[in-house]
Amino acid sequence: MLKYSLGIDISKKDFHACLSVINTCQEVNVKASRKFPNHTEGFRELCTWITKHRKESNIPLCITMEATGVYFEACALYLFKSGHKVSVVLPNKAKQYLKALGLKTKNDKIDASGLARMGAQQNLENWEPLDDFFYSLRALTRHHQSLQELKTNIKNQLHADMHSIYSSKAVIKQLKKLVATLDKQIEETAAAISKHISGNKEVAAKTDKIQQIKGIGIITIATVLAETNGFALFSSIPQLVSYAGYDVEENQSGSRKGKTRISKKGNSRIRRCLHLPAFNVVRYNMGDFRPFYERILSRHNQKMKAYVAVQKKLLVLIYTLWKKNEDFNPPAQTTEEEIFINEEMEPSFALARQSQINSPDERG
């Protein structure tokens, strides 16, 4: 026997667990499966159940679960604190793996078994929880984003009602009040984010250095830090680029060459928060962002592709300043990091060979 593998298919109310073993011949056999409630008592029952069926305690156990919204986090955290090695995979990655197995039927029990097989056969990255500071920061930044999205929807509705042939003054009045309320809540949330960051001297000092880049504000920096746990999980730029979904996908077969695009298989909140700052750094001619933008634009003749390249470059710059704890110094930015991002929209086979960290947040 080589190792035990536990697959967990989790939902809001409960989760299915499947315990399998893989032997030296790479054969995977199911030992037991069971359904548990998705709360603390269920997690305790799961640990007892694992101990009961894990006959050889000296043989390693790997646990694999799907990143199902936020419903997986409590279980993953409990297992992590219990000393287990947990891997969390993106839903699309798990789906493609199960599809490759040729399974025609789909239910929670089968999904759990498939995740157990996936964990047994693949060397997945271990999941680690965020620091408490960044969990709180993430709650604030995500709430701020939700308020912004809600405000945009209400303003669109207000615009439509104001220009409708049969508009209602009562509806327009209420919508205007709702927009004013949302503006106030957005302002209060932004203030809470600033206060939370200033409460940690080390984070505040590093954030102030990153804010020297004109065009990038505290909300953008806070969002990037919250979604990456202060870059604690990353040891290289390719890992971060892949996590944010900026890694390049090549579409080529034989003599046919399709379009080369970023994968977008990563944390969409990071890409969203860097959208406007990319415009700003080019507009304010910060560092060499404008020449870089113009170089990519002349090569591909697509403005948005050039701005996406700027987003990626900006993310790498934030990461570099954070890790090195340095001030923003434009002339000093031509480094190995710059070499890596110079060919933004070209295929990078080296990137594909790097260890990639799966983001538990591909929810749009």
Side-chain angles (χ1 to χ4, degrees):
M1 190 181 299
L2 189 60
K3 67 177 177 180
Y4 285 97
S5 179
L6 178 68
I8 299 178
D9 185 70
I10 200 161
S11 62
K12 178 182 177 181
K13 294 182 179 180
D14 49 44
F15 61 90
H16 280 77
C18 177
L19 183 66
S20 301
V21 293
I22 180 170
N23 58 29
T24 53
C25 297
Q26 297 298 309
E27 296 175 339
V28 180
N29 299 310
V30 175
K31 286 295 181 181
S33 62
R34 184 182 160 184
K35 183 178 179 180
F36 299 89
N38 189 10
H39 52 64
T40 305
E41 185 58 35
F43 306 153
R44 293 197 191 99
E45 293 177 8
L46 173 64
C47 290
T48 303
W49 180 78
I50 292 173
T51 303
K52 175 183 177 182
H53 293 282
R54 187 183 177 188
K55 303 298 183 181
E56 295 84 2
S57 58
N58 60 316
I59 296 177
L61 166 69
C62 63
I63 300 176
T64 307
M65 63 175 61
E66 210 174 68
T68 312
V70 296
Y71 301 130
F72 79 95
E73 291 183 343
C75 181
L77 182 60
Y78 187 94
L79 292 171
F80 177 83
K81 290 184 176 180
S82 299
H84 294 291
K85 293 183 178 180
V86 181
S87 297
V88 179
V89 297
L90 292 174
N92 64 331
K93 185 174 181 179
K95 180 180 179 180
Q96 293 300 323
Y97 179 83
L98 296 177
K99 185 178 180 180
L101 294 178
L103 300 175
K104 297 182 180 180
T105 303
K106 176 178 171 57
N107 57 46
D108 294 341
K109 186 176 180 180
I110 292 176
D111 287 348
S113 177
L115 288 170
R117 180 177 291 272
M118 184 178 185
Q121 295 179 338
Q122 299 187 12
N123 185 23
L124 301 172
E125 294 283 348
N126 291 332
W127 175 86
E128 292 184 13
L130 298 180
D131 182 87
D132 290 344
F133 175 86
F134 291 108
Y135 263 125
S136 299
L137 183 61
R138 191 184 71 173
L140 289 169
T141 55
R142 290 187 176 184
H143 180 58
H144 186 272
Q145 179 181 322
S146 297
L147 290 173
Q148 290 281 16
E149 292 172 350
L150 182 57
K151 176 185 172 183
T152 299
N153 292 336
I154 298 301
K155 289 186 70 174
N156 289 340
Q157 183 181 346
L158 176 61
H159 177 82
D161 287 345
M162 290 179 66
H163 293 81
S164 174
I165 189 173
Y166 296 113
S167 59
S168 169
K169 292 183 178 180
V171 172
I172 291 174
K173 183 178 179 180
Q174 289 187 9
L175 290 176
K176 286 183 177 180
K177 285 185 178 181
L178 186 54
V179 170
T181 301
L182 289 172
D183 280 332
K184 183 178 180 181
Q185 291 186 357
I186 290 172
E187 183 179 346
E188 292 174 349
T189 306
I193 291 173
S194 298
K195 182 179 179 181
H196 186 72
I197 289 179
S198 62
N200 186 310
K201 293 183 179 180
E202 181 181 358
V203 173
K206 290 185 176 182
T207 301
D208 289 340
K209 293 178 179 179
I210 297 174
Q211 278 191 281
Q212 294 172 0
I213 308 172
K214 187 177 181 181
I216 181 170
I218 186 67
I219 301 299
T220 299
I221 300 172
T223 301
V224 172
L225 294 178
E227 297 298 331
T228 60
N229 193 23
F231 300 112
L233 302 179
F234 306 101
S235 58
S236 67
I237 291 173
Q239 287 182 344
L240 174 63
V241 169
S242 176
Y243 178 85
Y246 285 120
D247 50 328
V248 175
E249 284 187 341
E250 185 183 19
N251 184 12
Q252 183 269 339
S253 178
S255 60
R256 184 185 65 83
K257 290 187 177 180
K259 291 184 178 180
T260 301
R261 303 172 176 172
I262 62 171
S263 71
K264 294 187 179 180
K265 295 176 182 177
N267 194 304
S268 60
R269 297 178 188 274
I270 294 177
R271 300 195 303 275
R272 177 187 175 93
C273 77
L274 291 173
H275 179 73
L276 290 180
F279 288 95
N280 292 336
V281 293
V282 172
R283 175 188 177 188
Y284 296 128
N285 197 18
M286 292 301 298
D288 60 349
F289 281 103
R290 180 177 290 177
F292 176 77
Y293 164 80
E294 293 173 349
R295 188 163 64 248
I296 300 297
L297 180 61
S298 64
R299 185 186 306 171
H300 299 281
N301 198 29
Q302 295 182 33
K303 287 186 177 181
M304 191 48 62
K305 180 172 282 192
Y307 277 119
V308 169
V310 172
Q311 292 177 32
K312 181 178 176 182
K313 179 181 173 72
L314 187 56
L315 177 62
V316 172
L317 176 59
I318 294 172
Y319 171 82
T320 304
L321 295 179
W322 178 272
K323 285 290 187 178
K324 295 183 177 180
N325 194 19
E326 294 179 348
D327 292 316
F328 174 57
N329 186 10
Q333 296 305 313
T334 305
T335 60
E336 292 182 1
E337 290 82 4
E338 177 68 14
I339 295 174
F340 172 81
I341 58 180
N342 263 344
E343 299 297 327
E344 300 291 326
M345 295 292 106
E346 298 301 325
S348 175
F349 297 104
L351 178 60
R353 291 194 297 266
Q354 292 287 340
S355 173
Q356 297 183 358
I357 297 179
N358 293 322
S359 164
D361 180 26
E362 180 62 15
R363 300 191 294 276

